[in-house]
Amino acid sequence: MRVELLIVGWFTAPVGIWRRGDDMDRQVRFPVPAYVIETGDERILVDTGLHPDAVADPERRYGRPEALGPVTAEVERSIAEQLDLETITKVVMTHLHYDHAGGLGLLPSSIPVFVQRREWEAAQDAAAIAKNFYLPADYAGIGDRVTVVDGDVDLLGDGSVLLLSTPGHTPGHQSVQVGHDLVIGGDVSHLASGLDDHRFPVFAHDHTEQAASADRLRALRDGGAHVMPGHDPEVLTPGPLSPLWPHARRSAGARRARTGRAARRRS
């Protein structure tokens, strides 16, 4: 089994939006990842990144120029420029925010898309769309190829790729466990430290659910898995993941130690 991390865009915004209590005046450039899982005859894409039109002409794509709010987005190489999309057999969406779902419109219409039922239903409801900052243009027209799933699902039937229900950031957010060693956490926590300190973005569908999902992923991490955060610029480096796991575990351990020392100082 092989897993590769791609960087398919960037967004720059005040760090305090994405980590509660941090500085609203400090701008940070966050990577937008996507992942390719290759196993047997399957080539699975997890998330699709930004659509180039979201950067080039948000008014044309979304109907209003300020659709991305306080975010400056960039696309260096879209998912279509980095992959032969005809070779993808399945797409798994962690959730339907524009920086994860925008590239759906670049994919061939024959590829099935796996989304949690709660996520898909919320993305069709006007009140939930407004609350959760969905942009329907990103997933318009894919309904006939969406496979909705409920809760935890063994995607391939052999235990190699598991979809984990991790709601909170959005109503039907899900993470992806690959084997025993890797979890693609999506936006359960934008930064790796969020699994420990629960300093999530200022917005969420339900922060209590998000905290419970973070605790679930933290338990997997503490059991030996490496959990990939949503947008941490200190962690997300493009390329094959396997050689990075030991380094990532050491880095995560160092961050946990710093968090613990800081907490002791505050007490």
Side-chain angles (χ1 to χ4, degrees), residues 141-157:
I142 70 163
D144 60 345
R145 55 191 168 109
V146 167
T147 297
V148 293
V149 299
D150 294 294
D152 294 355
V153 171
D154 184 343
L155 182 63
L156 303 180

Side-chain angles (χ1 to χ4, degrees), residues 24-253:
M24 282 291 188
D25 294 325
R26 183 165 67 93
Q27 298 281 321
V28 172
R29 187 172 182 250
F30 296 93
V32 175
Y35 299 83
V36 180
I37 303 168
E38 297 185 37
T39 176
D41 295 329
E42 299 282 356
R43 198 170 193 226
I44 303 163
L45 177 64
V46 180
D47 288 339
T48 65
L50 295 151
H51 194 286
D53 287 350
V55 176
D57 195 345
E59 183 171 15
R60 182 179 66 181
R61 179 162 179 79
Y62 298 122
R64 59 188 197 277
E66 76 289 353
L68 303 189
V71 169
T72 300
E74 308 166 52
V75 174
E76 295 174 3
R77 297 174 65 214
S78 72
I79 197 72
E81 295 174 290
Q82 298 191 52
L83 290 176
D84 178 357
L85 296 178
E86 296 288 345
T87 67
I88 299 299
T89 58
K90 291 179 174 64
V91 176
V92 173
M93 298 305 306
T94 62
H95 61 300
L96 294 173
H97 279 160
Y98 70 89
D99 53 325
H100 296 257
L104 282 168
L106 304 174
L107 294 165
S109 60
S110 59
I111 304 174
V113 180
F114 291 79
V115 185
Q116 285 285 328
R117 185 181 302 277
R118 285 183 64 190
E119 187 76 1
W120 186 246
E121 291 179 350
Q124 317 307 312
D125 178 81
I129 287 169
K131 177 180 179 180
N132 292 286
F133 304 103
Y134 297 128
L135 295 173
D138 289 328
Y139 49 85
I142 70 163
D144 60 345
R145 55 191 168 109
V146 167
T147 297
V148 293
V149 299
D150 294 294
D152 294 355
V153 171
D154 184 343
L155 182 63
L156 303 180
D158 61 3
S160 61
V161 180
L162 305 178
L163 308 184
L164 308 179
S165 175
T166 50
H169 178 65
T170 60
H173 187 283
Q174 64 184 345
S175 303
V176 183
Q177 183 170 356
V178 184
H180 299 291
D181 297 327
L182 176 68
V183 177
I184 299 168
D187 285 2
V188 169
S189 179
H190 279 52
L191 304 175
S193 58
L195 297 186
D196 296 291
D197 62 25
H198 288 189
R199 291 172 65 186
F200 305 125
V202 295
F203 63 94
H205 169 70
D206 187 315
H207 277 122
T208 300
E209 279 193 327
Q210 188 169 8
S213 293
D215 289 344
R216 181 182 190 187
L217 297 192
R218 182 176 63 185
L220 291 171
R221 182 202 67 192
D222 292 348
H226 175 50
V227 177
M228 302 299 294
H231 300 281
D232 195 326
E234 294 186 10
V235 174
L236 300 181
T237 302
L241 285 182
S242 299
L244 300 180
W245 295 349
H247 168 72
R249 289 194 186 104
R250 289 194 297 272
S251 298

